[in-house]
Amino acid sequence: MLKEFKLPELGENVSAGTVGKLLVKLGDVIASGQNVIEIETDKAVAEIPTPVSGRVAEIRVKEGGTVHVGDVVLVVDESVDVSKPAAAAVTPPPPDPPSAAPADAAIAPPAKAPVESGATPHPGIVRAAPSVRQMARELGIDLNDVPSPDPSGRINAHDLLVYKQSFASGPGTIPAMDKTPTPEATEETADILRDKWGTVVPQPMNTVRIRTAERMADNWSAIPHVTHFEK
């Protein structure tokens, strides 16, 4: 049986929001109470749970789009038993039989490929900002594999892009750590800017930051910044 999940009330005087992120994809099996969508309003960013369970049969919203209260977000097939995928995931697949490796393979260490985008980085071991960790997940890169020229070991967005570009050129390539953009820079590194404080990567603002910037601009132009008293 198909059932629609509609966007519930988001708060007082809030009738719509922007889809910041979809937390599920088509075909996923979800349980009641699971967060399925991230909504950005003028005041906050919140993850919205679903009261239905089953398999996601249809997604009717897109990231970056506007959704109103009462709009259909997901269509869920409730006839799917949500306990079956979990039980199947417990049994690991049988290991592959060992095979004889060539002599050359035993000498040269295998190149380590980037992990899948669903992998979880290792918090607390690698120094990186939350935005850099999110960028690494989207690129499918394990932060432990990324070299950094920073003496403290901190990794920034430029380090990720340089590592990805160097790995695409072939396994075993050592990433170049020169942070100065060159004329041969690719489209990915073309948007990277530098100022006297370091690397700057422009990113779009979410709804909360846009409203904050608007209010600050209004206050800057409306509130006096100098008060003069004279006798």
Side-chain angles (χ1 to χ4, degrees):
M1 177 180 177
L2 298 179
K3 186 170 183 179
E4 296 178 341
F5 166 58
K6 300 181 179 180
L7 186 67
E9 294 287 341
L10 301 174
E12 186 177 0
N13 298 326
V14 179
S15 60
T18 302
V19 181
K21 184 184 299 183
L22 289 171
L23 306 179
V24 295
K25 60 182 181 295
L26 197 65
D28 283 356
V29 176
I30 59 176
S32 177
Q34 178 178 341
N35 295 330
V36 295
I37 188 173
E38 185 180 89
I39 296 294
E40 299 177 359
T41 66
D42 293 351
K43 299 180 179 179
V45 178
E47 294 183 352
I48 308 300
T50 174
V52 297
S53 59
R55 187 182 303 278
V56 178
E58 186 179 353
I59 299 177
R60 296 190 180 179
V61 296
K62 296 181 179 180
E63 294 185 357
T66 301
V67 58
H68 296 80
V69 173
D71 288 351
V72 178
V73 177
L74 304 174
V75 178
V76 180
D77 185 1
E78 292 185 312
S79 62
V80 177
D81 187 0
V82 297
S83 62
K84 288 183 179 180
V90 175
T91 305
D96 296 333
S99 57
D104 297 340
I107 299 175
K112 189 173 183 180
V115 297
E116 297 179 356
S117 58
T120 304
H122 305 280
I125 298 178
V126 178
R127 301 187 61 187
S131 59
V132 176
R133 294 184 182 276
Q134 179 180 358
M135 183 178 179
R137 289 193 296 268
E138 294 173 352
L139 294 176
I141 296 177
D142 190 340
L143 289 176
N144 291 288
D145 298 335
V146 181
S148 172
D150 194 314
S152 65
R154 180 176 294 276
I155 296 175
N156 57 33
H158 182 272
D159 300 332
L160 289 177
L161 295 178
V162 170
Y163 176 79
K164 180 185 177 183
Q165 180 185 1
S166 63
F167 189 84
S169 62
T173 305
I174 300 177
M177 300 314 299
D178 183 13
K179 293 189 175 184
T180 304
T182 62
E184 295 80 13
T186 62
E187 292 184 1
E188 289 181 325
T189 58
D191 292 336
I192 297 179
L193 307 176
R194 287 187 59 84
D195 56 18
K196 62 181 179 181
W197 291 283
T199 304
V200 179
V201 180
Q203 295 183 352
M205 294 192 298
N206 58 27
T207 307
V208 176
R209 293 188 178 274
I210 291 175
R211 296 295 176 265
T212 302
E214 291 176 352
R215 300 298 179 268
M216 292 180 66
D218 293 341
N219 294 336
W220 178 264
S221 59
I223 299 176
H225 302 286
V226 177
T227 304
H228 178 70
F229 297 94
E230 183 177 354
K231 284 188 177 181

